[in-house]
Every structure is written in structure tokens, then in C-alpha cells.
């Protein structure tokens, strides 16, 4: 399937606007789940580790199921997937308002909403990449800020809705708001297909039956009918009605049937050979995929990078989920601050994406070293959280953590610089799987530390050490003292096919 050339504008800006609001509406509640987390702790009385699974699943399932999401968008298109996924997100949120226990939330909020968000993310990225080529990076940057702004607004919105209508009413209203994804999806008009492969131009050696063996006017004619038609056509010649080419009509029928019977085994053999060749080709592609995967892990920088991204998500995601409970555990009341801490994380994440992305474009800045710096600084901010005893201190740390979490905007640069553009798609998919795994495990682990020690101090020390270890491991791997390691300092080979993550 060949699409029309990317217009780099025109209706593409409508696609950008609809994709922005799609990510805003679908990721607003899951990323601001820290507000709901506090209410679920009081409602169900479960441990912090078990309750944290709800928010971690909502963020991690979409990344873990990214191959399935990509397959669905490729098979059905961005518009149908967006419309269908809007019902998944809205339905999951509304079902969560009737949750009798925490296990019901694992399915309704964690899996259904999380999978719906993953499908919507893939659909918005795919349709935007189809409409933009030269401005693709700019367009992807615009739509990726929708999730961060959604986090900023939904954190305050959900807190206000809980005060006015309770937790159940809040989930019902946010679910109803998610239905606005439907008109956004309806605007995602696919690019027209300008040409298709012409089967008539396929070489004869790739056809199951040669063209001369299946003339169109004889496809549904039986053997006796063909012989009779041949006999009738020859009545106009000098031969009699009972003879053609010196043979009676009856003999002609037997001869035609014999020829068809002889050609049937040949066609069966051709089909069998073709099936064997296709199976061999698929098996070869499967083996090549795993060979390429193993070759990626032979690159020590890539091996360090996948460990770093896993540890980064284990340590950096819990603050966005648990910061409200950290403030409550430190006896910081809601009246001490106007802006929720999660909202601060959200708006600063958007600022960090733009600022770090701009820094990565500077010629003399190496994106790998910049990424390592953000990891080390984030580790320091995480370790300082237990020492914060006021809203202002927590607000500053939340802003710093949010800004540094914007390093997702430079992660495609880092991946490209590590493995090259040719292997970017394969490597990026592997790294996103480990990122989703870290997202799913991080908050429950931090919650279990609290259940064990009755405070968040050890939990955030652990988070800080995870991120610090990942950063130092990556730094050691990229040092130029190693043979064959020479990080390029200069323009970053950013591939326009790599999308900025939420």
C-alpha cells in the first residue's frame, strides 16, 4: 500500500490538533492517578504496594503491548482504532466508579484504560507521521505535550470533582470527557492510496499458474464444454461435424480430459513448492529477527541503555503517582498549596521536553552525555524527597523531577546515536518494552517499602539509587576509553520515525 506524499501541512495541522487533544483526554486521568490513589487507599484499606498496581498498570500496559497496538493500527487504520479505543478508555473509567474492590480496578482501570491509551498513542503517532515528513519532529513534539498538559489540568480537575461529587462521580465525569476523543478520531482522515501493485505486471515465474494456462473466458468452462465449443467452431471449416483435426469429437473429449488430468499433478506440485518456499522465507525472517536482536545486545552501550531505561522507570515514575500521599504522610495539608504537586510535575515535564529537545539539537552537545546528566540529577532529587518537610520544598523538587522527566524527548536521539538509523525501529521497540516493565514495577515496589518500613524514606533512597546506578552504568559504557566507543559530538541523527513518548 502506497500513500500519497506527506503534505507537511494543510489538513495535517488538523491531525496535529486532534492528536494533541486525544493524548490530552486519554492520558490526563492515568497520569494524574496520584489524586485517585489517595482516595483508593482510604476506600479499600489495602496496602500502598497493592494499590499502586492500579496506576502502574495503566501506564505500563500500553508500552508492554506496543507490538499488538502497532499491529492493530497497521491492520485497521488510525481512525477506526481511535474511535474504538475511546470507548475502551471511557468504559474503563466509568466501570472503575463501580469497583467493589481493588482487584476490579486492576482490570477496569489498569488493563482496559491502559490498553486503550496504548492504542490511542500508537494511532496518533502513526497518523501524524503519515501527514508530516520535513516537519515531523516538530509535529510529534506538539502532540506529545498534550499528555503533560493533561496531567497538569486533570490533577486539579479530579481533586475538585472528588470534593464536589465524590470519587465515583469523578470517575464517571472523566469517563464522559474521554468520549470527546470520538470527534477527534473522526477528523483523522487517512491519506489516499495513490497506487497499488499491478498483478498483471508480476513476472510469470512468481505466478501460481502461467497466464497462457488460464484465459479469462475459459476460467469457468468445463472440459466437455471446451471440446464442444472447439468442435462447433470447426464446423465452419472444410471438416465434417464429427471430425476435427482428423479425430472424432468423442476422441477430442477424451484427449482434452487426459491433458487436464496430466496438468493437475503439475499444478499441485507447483503449489506445494510455493508453500515450502514461503515457509522457508518466513522462517528465515524469524531467524534474522532474533539474530538482529542478539546483535543489538552485543553493543555494550545498548546493553547499558536498556538497563538504564528500566531502572529509570522503576525509580522516576513513582513520584508522579505517590507525591500526593508523600505530602499527606509529611502532614502537609492541601490548604498549604494552591497548585497540586502532580500538576507541577506535569507542566514542568512539558517544559523539560521542549528545553531538553532544543539542547539536543545544539551541535556541540552530545545527546548521550546530556541524557546521562539528567539521570544523575534526577537521582539526587529523588534522594532529597525524604528531607522535604514543607509544601514549597516538595513543589521545587516536583518541578525539578518533572523537568528532568522530559528527557523522554531526547531518548530517540540517544537510541539513534547508539545503534544507528538502520536499527532504530527494532531497538526502540525493545527499549520501550523495558520502559513499560519499569513503569509497571516501580510504584508497587515503592509502596511495598512503605508497607514494610511505615515511611517513604527508604523507598525514595531505593528509587534514587536505581536511577543513579543506571546513569553511572551508561556513563561508563559511553566513555571514549573503551575500544570501538566513540560517541559522536555533533548533530544528532534523529530519525523522524521515532516518536516522543508520553
Amino acid at each position: 500500500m502506497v500513500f500519497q506524499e506527506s503534505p507537511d501541512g494543510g489538513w495535517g495541522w488538523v491531525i496535529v490538533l486532534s492528536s494533541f487533544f486525544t493524548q490530552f483526554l486519554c492520558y490526563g486521568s492515568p497520569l494524574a492517578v496520584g489524586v485517585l490513589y489517595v482516595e483508593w487507599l482510604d476506600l479499600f484499606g489495602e496496602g500502598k504496594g497493592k494499590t499502586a498496581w492500579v496506576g502502574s498498570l495503566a501506564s505500563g500496559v500500553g508500552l508492554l503491548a506496543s507490538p499488538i497496538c502497532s499491529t492493530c493500527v497497521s491492520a485497521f487504520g488510525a481512525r477506526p482504532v481511535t474511535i474504538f479505543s475511546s470507548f475502551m478508555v471511557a468504559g474503563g473509567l466509568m466501570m472503575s466508579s463501580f469497583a467493589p474492590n481493588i482487584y476490579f480496578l486492576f482490570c477496569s482501570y489498569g488493563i482496559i484504560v491502559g490498553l486503550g491509551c496504548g492504542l490511542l498513542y500508537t494511532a496518533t503517532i502513526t497518523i501524524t507521521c503519515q501527514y508530516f515528513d520535513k516537519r515531523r519532529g516538530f509535529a510529534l513534539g506538539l502532540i506529545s505535550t498534550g499528555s503533560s498538559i493533561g496531567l497538569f489540568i486533570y490533577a486539579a480537575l479530579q481533586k475538585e470533582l472528588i470534593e464536589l461529587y465524590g470519587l465515583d462521580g469523578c470517575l464517571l465525569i472523566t469517563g464522559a470527557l474521554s468520549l470527546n476523543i470520538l470527534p477527534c478520531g473522526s477528523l483523522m482522515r487517512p491519506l489516499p492510496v495513490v497506487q497499488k501493485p499491478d498483478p498483471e505486471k508480476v513476472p510469470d515465474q512468481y505466478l501460481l499458474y502461467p497466464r497462457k494456462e488460464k484465459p479469462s473466458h475459459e476460467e469457468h468452462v468445463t472440459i466437455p464444454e471446451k471440446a464442444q465449443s472447439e468442435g462447433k467452431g470447426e464446423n465452419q471449416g472444410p471438416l465434417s461435424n464429427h471430425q476435427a483435426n482428423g479425430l472424432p469429437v468423442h476422441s477430442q473429449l477424451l484427449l482434452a480430459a487426459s491433458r487436464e488430468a496430466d496438468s493437475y499433478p503439475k499444478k499441485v506440485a507447483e503449489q506445494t513448492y510455493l508453500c515450502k518456499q514461503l515457509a522457508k522465507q518466513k522462517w528465515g525472517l524469524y531467524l534474522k529477527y532474533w539474530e538482529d536482536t542478539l546483535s543489538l545486545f552485543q553493543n555494550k552501550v545498548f546493553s547499558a541503555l536498556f538497563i538504564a531505561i528500566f531502572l529509570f522507570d522503576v525509580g522516576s515514575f513513582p513520584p508522579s503517582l505517590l507525591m500526593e500521599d508523600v505530602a499527606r504522610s509529611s502532614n502537609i495539608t492541601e490548604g498549604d498549596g494552591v497548585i497540586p504537586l502532580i500538576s507541577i510535575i506535569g507542566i514542568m515535564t512539558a517544559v523539560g521536553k521542549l528545553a531538553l529537545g532544543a539542547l539536543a539539537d545544539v551541535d556541540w552537545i552530545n545527546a548521550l552525555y546530556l541524557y546521562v546528566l539528567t539521570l544523575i540529577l534526577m537521582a539526587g532529587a529523588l534522594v532529597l524527597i525524604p528531607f522535604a518537610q514543607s509544601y514549597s520544598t516538595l513543589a521545587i523538587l516536583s518541578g525539578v523531577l518533572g523537568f528532568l522527566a522530559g528527557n523522554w524527548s531526547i531518548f530517540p536521539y540517544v537510541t539513534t546515536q547508539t545503534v544507528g538509523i538502520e536499527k532504530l525501529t527494532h531497538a526502540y521497540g525493545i527499549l520501550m518494552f523495558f520502559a513499560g516493565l519499569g513503569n509497571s514495577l516501580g510504584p508497587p515496589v515503592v509502596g511495598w517499602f512503605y508497607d514494610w518500613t511505615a515511611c517513604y524514606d527508604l523507598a525514595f533512597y531505593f528509587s534514587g539509587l536505581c536511577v543513579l546506578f543506571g546513569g553511572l552504568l551508561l556513563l561508563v559504557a559511553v566513555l571514549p576509553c573503551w575500544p570501538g566507543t566513540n560517541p559522536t559530538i555533533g548533530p544528532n541523527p534523529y530519525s523522524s520515525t521515532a516518536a516522543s513518548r508520553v
Side-chain angles (χ1 to χ4, degrees):
M1 183 179 295
V2 180
F3 292 100
Q4 176 184 311
E5 184 179 355
S6 301
D8 274 310
W11 191 260
W13 296 118
V14 178
I15 298 295
V16 169
L17 184 64
S18 61
S19 299
F20 173 88
F21 280 106
T22 296
Q23 292 204 12
F24 172 86
L25 292 168
C26 75
Y27 277 106
S29 179
L31 291 180
V33 71
V35 176
L36 306 176
Y37 171 77
V38 178
E39 301 296 327
W40 286 329
L41 283 174
D42 297 335
L43 178 62
F44 298 115
E46 299 286 353
K48 296 181 185 294
K50 183 183 292 186
T51 308
W53 272 109
V54 181
S56 63
L57 285 174
S59 297
V61 164
L63 289 174
L64 290 172
S66 56
I68 299 176
C69 298
S70 299
T71 303
C72 290
V73 174
S74 299
F76 303 107
R79 177 190 281 174
V81 169
T82 300
I83 294 174
F84 173 77
S85 301
S86 65
F87 288 106
M88 287 188 64
V89 175
L93 289 171
M94 292 180 180
M95 288 171 57
S96 299
S97 65
F98 303 101
N101 51 55
I102 197 69
Y103 301 102
F104 187 90
L105 286 174
F106 291 165
C107 178
S108 62
Y109 198 98
I111 297 177
I112 296 178
V113 175
L115 185 58
C117 290
L119 288 167
L120 289 169
Y121 176 76
T122 306
T124 55
I125 294 300
T126 302
I127 192 69
T128 303
C129 288
Q130 290 176 0
Y131 269 85
F132 288 89
D133 184 15
K134 297 179 181 178
R135 301 178 181 177
R136 188 175 295 171
F138 177 67
L140 292 174
L142 288 178
I143 68 173
S144 68
T145 57
S147 58
S148 301
I149 297 177
L151 169 59
F152 173 73
I153 294 179
Y154 266 75
L157 176 63
Q158 290 186 144
K159 182 174 289 189
E160 187 68 21
L161 290 175
I162 289 173
E163 293 179 358
L164 294 175
Y165 305 106
L167 178 61
D168 296 344
C170 171
L171 289 170
L172 286 173
I173 293 173
T174 53
L177 288 174
S178 299
L179 290 175
N180 288 288
I181 299 173
L182 282 170
C184 295
S186 64
L187 295 174
M188 295 181 182
R189 184 175 63 198
L191 283 176
V193 178
V194 295
Q195 66 181 44
K196 294 182 179 179
D198 187 2
E200 295 299 325
K201 297 181 180 180
V202 178
D204 286 342
Q205 60 267 30
Y206 296 106
L207 292 176
L208 190 60
Y209 300 103
R211 294 188 182 90
K212 60 183 180 181
E213 290 187 20
K214 54 169 191 178
S216 58
H217 66 280
E218 294 183 359
E219 287 181 353
H220 304 288
V221 180
T222 62
I223 296 173
E225 290 174 344
K226 284 195 286 186
Q228 290 176 3
S229 63
E230 291 175 0
K232 290 179 181 179
E234 292 172 354
N235 287 339
Q236 302 174 1
L239 298 180
S240 66
N241 293 337
H242 299 285
Q243 279 192 337
N245 296 326
L247 294 176
V249 174
H250 180 69
S251 300
Q252 286 259 347
L253 291 174
L254 294 177
L255 181 60
S258 176
R259 288 175 179 174
E260 284 290 333
D262 291 340
S263 64
Y264 179 76
K266 180 181 178 182
K267 293 177 181 179
V268 172
E270 290 176 355
Q271 289 181 340
T272 304
Y273 176 77
L274 181 60
C275 291
K276 289 181 179 180
Q277 291 298 111
L278 289 175
K280 185 177 180 180
Q281 182 182 13
K282 294 295 184 181
W283 179 253
L285 292 174
Y286 179 78
L287 292 179
K288 187 176 185 302
Y289 174 83
W290 286 108
E291 289 176 0
D292 292 342
T293 302
L294 294 176
S295 67
L296 287 174
F297 286 97
Q298 291 175 358
N299 182 341
K300 60 178 175 295
V301 178
F302 178 82
S303 299
L305 186 61
F306 99 84
I307 296 175
I309 192 64
F310 171 75
L311 294 177
F312 169 76
D313 275 87
V314 169
S316 66
F317 182 65
S320 63
L321 175 62
L322 306 174
M323 192 60 77
E324 294 294 327
D325 191 56
V326 171
R328 188 174 69 168
S329 300
S330 302
N331 297 322
I332 299 175
T333 61
E334 295 179 358
D336 293 337
V338 179
I339 304 177
L341 297 173
I342 299 179
S343 294
I344 296 175
I345 294 176
I347 195 64
M348 290 305 296
T349 300
V351 174
K353 286 179 179 179
L354 297 175
L356 293 173
L359 287 175
D361 284 332
V362 177
D363 291 344
W364 52 271
I365 293 181
N366 188 318
L368 269 170
Y369 291 136
L370 178 63
Y371 185 76
V372 170
L373 179 62
T374 60
L375 296 183
I376 295 175
L377 293 177
M378 178 168 282
L382 287 169
V383 172
L384 292 176
I385 289 178
F387 299 97
Q389 300 298 325
S390 65
Y391 173 83
S392 58
T393 306
L394 282 178
I396 293 172
L397 290 175
S398 298
V400 172
L401 290 171
F403 181 86
L404 296 173
N407 62 4
W408 278 107
S409 65
I410 65 173
F411 193 71
Y413 290 83
V414 174
T415 308
T416 305
Q417 192 170 347
T418 303
V419 301
I421 294 179
E422 297 79 8
K423 299 180 180 180
L424 175 62
T425 304
H426 191 183
Y428 200 76
I430 295 173
L431 293 173
M432 287 301 98
F433 175 83
F434 284 101
L437 190 62
N439 264 349
S440 301
L441 295 178
V445 170
V446 171
W448 289 331
F449 270 108
Y450 184 93
D451 295 336
W452 178 38
T453 62
C455 69
Y456 278 111
D457 295 357
L458 187 60
F460 282 103
Y461 294 152
F462 170 78
S463 298
L465 288 176
C466 285
V467 178
L468 180 63
F469 178 75
L472 293 178
L473 180 65
L474 184 58
L475 176 62
V476 171
V478 302
L479 288 177
C481 61
W482 299 103
T485 301
N486 186 21
T488 304
I489 299 179
N492 293 291
Y494 176 68
S495 172
S496 58
T497 60
S500 300
R501 178 185 174 266
V502 176

